[in-house]
Amino acid sequence: MFTSKSQPHKIWRRLTSVLVPGLLTLGLVSYTAEATKTTTQAVNKTLITNGNTTISNSNQAELSELQVSKLNATLLPISPSLVAQASNKNRQGIKTNVLRMGYQQAGDLVRITGVLEKRLEPLGVKVEWAQFAQGPQLMEAMNVGRIDLGSVGETPPIFAQAAGAPIVYVVGSQRTANSGKGSAIAVPPDSPIKSVRDLKGKTVVFQRGSASHYFILRALEEVGLKPNDIKIQSIPNVEASSAFLEGKIPVWVTGDPHLARAEKLGKVRIIRNAQGLDTPGSYYVGLRKFAIDNPTLLRIVIEEIDKIQRWAQANPKETAKLVGQHQKLPPDVMDLVLSRRSYGLRAITPELIREQQRIADYFHKNGVIPKRINIQEATLTQQQYATITPPSISRR
């Protein structure tokens, strides 16, 4: 009796010793294959950067197989706790599940291409976008905690800091030969105004606290005029554009794509563009707490911005078509916009901070902001910048 009952028991033990590890292996291979598929889709056939190691898609698949082999050797089942541990490891330096990005009316190639969504989805981070007329409105939203990160010119963060906003400079933009070409002091074609000197006593329209604010003050200074020599009317570009085209605005300080559109319609004469202006350029600015809590996330965002800008610079025709479709602008307008657009990021360095401090001091000297601000108070430590700034980003 004992022998006849034990024989099936032995057979069952042998079967389970063979089948169970095999089933575990199949489950693990299936899980890893799905993870690899998700990762491959997320990077969109680009490079995957993990810390200081860059792995191609093909190597990623090989690495996954190696991981499977090692795990099979230990015959460990896939438990929820192991998955959670792996997920937590991938999310080190990421405390948020939602990245709230702000962009201006002129559009944002990062948003249009969806590169952040593709990269962050596997990490469990959703991207939300909010559109603003110009930089001052974007900074106001950041000040009240509506967004985490956004791109603005050199002026809006100065005004935001003066108002007590808890912001930090995340990464800057490179200055190139094209910098300033897409911004101008413009008048109607038949205007009697021929030069910046002729602006004395005239009404000049621009968004107060925007990059145009610094531009017009410096342009006036160059010809010996002062801020109180003109009458300032603050109107965002998106609202001023139609009024200018209808001949209701005598002088307009604006930028692309509004400027390019007016040029192609033959409705504008430029009396001075911002080329050669002594400005450090634009920045990505973020909420301080967000930046401190999410260094890994910021590094990923900077990497993706850098990649898409490099692609746009190398593919102007494709970029013009892509952006033009979203902004509903004619091809000739987009060609003009891109012909004078600057690309490239610049790391936040002590030199760049000094440049931005000079702009802030200029506004204070001219009575535009009520008190002197210290730009250093709106920065991270050099160690923190080293963590969030990829080595591919220029330091000049």
Side-chain angles (χ1 to χ4, degrees), residues 157-316:
I158 292 174
F159 279 68
Q161 188 180 351
I167 61 171
V168 291
Y169 294 86
V170 173
V171 69
S173 63
Q174 284 189 311
R175 299 291 292 170
T176 71
N178 277 342
S179 296
K181 286 184 177 180
S183 298
I185 302 170
V187 297
D190 58 352
S191 171
I193 298 172
K194 304 299 181 184
S195 69
V196 176
R197 286 187 178 87
D198 297 332
L199 296 181
K200 187 173 182 178
K202 301 295 191 297
T203 297
V204 179
V205 172
F206 60 90
Q207 169 74 69
R208 191 186 297 270
S210 70
S212 295
H213 203 153
Y214 179 66
F215 172 23
I216 186 64
L217 293 188
R218 285 290 292 112
L220 293 172
E221 185 180 54
E222 286 177 346
V223 298
L225 296 179
K226 298 179 180 179
N228 57 8
D229 285 326
I230 63 172
K231 300 172 185 177
I232 296 175
Q233 187 174 4
S234 183
I235 304 176
N237 276 329
V238 67
E239 297 176 20
S241 180
S242 296
F244 180 84
L245 294 176
E246 293 170 4
K248 298 177 181 179
I249 292 177
V251 184
W252 187 27
V253 187
T254 187
D256 286 334
H258 309 283
L259 177 63
R261 180 167 171 261
E263 287 182 80
K264 288 300 181 180
L265 291 173
K267 298 284 189 177
V268 66
R269 177 163 49 84
I270 294 174
I271 61 174
R272 197 233 196 265
N273 66 23
Q275 191 173 19
L277 192 70
D278 55 346
T279 168
S282 61
Y283 299 90
Y284 274 88
V285 179
L287 279 172
R288 175 174 289 279
K289 188 178 187 307
F290 170 82
I292 293 174
D293 288 347
N294 298 278
T296 301
L297 179 57
L298 277 182
R299 187 183 182 95
I300 291 172
V301 170
I302 295 172
E303 285 175 355
E304 293 304 321
I305 293 170
D306 182 48
K307 286 179 186 177
I308 199 62
Q309 287 200 6
R310 291 174 186 271
W311 175 85
Q313 188 172 26
N315 300 274

Side-chain angles (χ1 to χ4, degrees), residues 81-198:
S81 62
L82 286 178
V83 174
Q85 289 174 17
S87 177
N88 290 337
K89 184 176 180 181
N90 290 336
R91 284 180 56 90
Q92 287 179 358
I94 303 177
K95 290 188 178 181
T96 185
N97 293 322
V98 179
L99 169 61
R100 301 173 302 170
M101 294 287 296
Y103 71 101
Q104 295 184 40
Q105 187 70 31
D108 192 306
L109 187 60
V110 180
R111 176 186 62 88
I112 292 170
T113 55
V115 292
L116 291 183
E117 286 82 351
K118 295 171 187 175
R119 182 77 183 272
L120 295 176
E121 184 180 2
L123 298 175
V125 178
K126 180 183 177 182
V127 184
E128 295 180 352
W129 293 90
Q131 187 181 51
F132 300 94
Q134 279 184 253
Q137 289 85 348
L138 189 153
M139 294 274 51
E140 182 180 352
M142 187 173 292
N143 187 25
V144 297
R146 285 179 52 201
I147 59 172
D148 303 310
L149 189 68
S151 177
V152 293
E154 82 288 296
T155 302
I158 292 174
F159 279 68
Q161 188 180 351
I167 61 171
V168 291
Y169 294 86
V170 173
V171 69
S173 63
Q174 284 189 311
R175 299 291 292 170
T176 71
N178 277 342
S179 296
K181 286 184 177 180
S183 298
I185 302 170
V187 297
D190 58 352
S191 171
I193 298 172
K194 304 299 181 184
S195 69
V196 176
R197 286 187 178 87
D198 297 332

Side-chain angles (χ1 to χ4, degrees), residues 17-38:
S17 67
V18 174
L19 290 175
V20 171
L23 290 172
L24 290 173
T25 301
L26 288 172
L28 187 56
V29 169
S30 176
Y31 172 81
T32 307
E34 184 60 29
T36 303
K37 179 182 177 182
T38 302

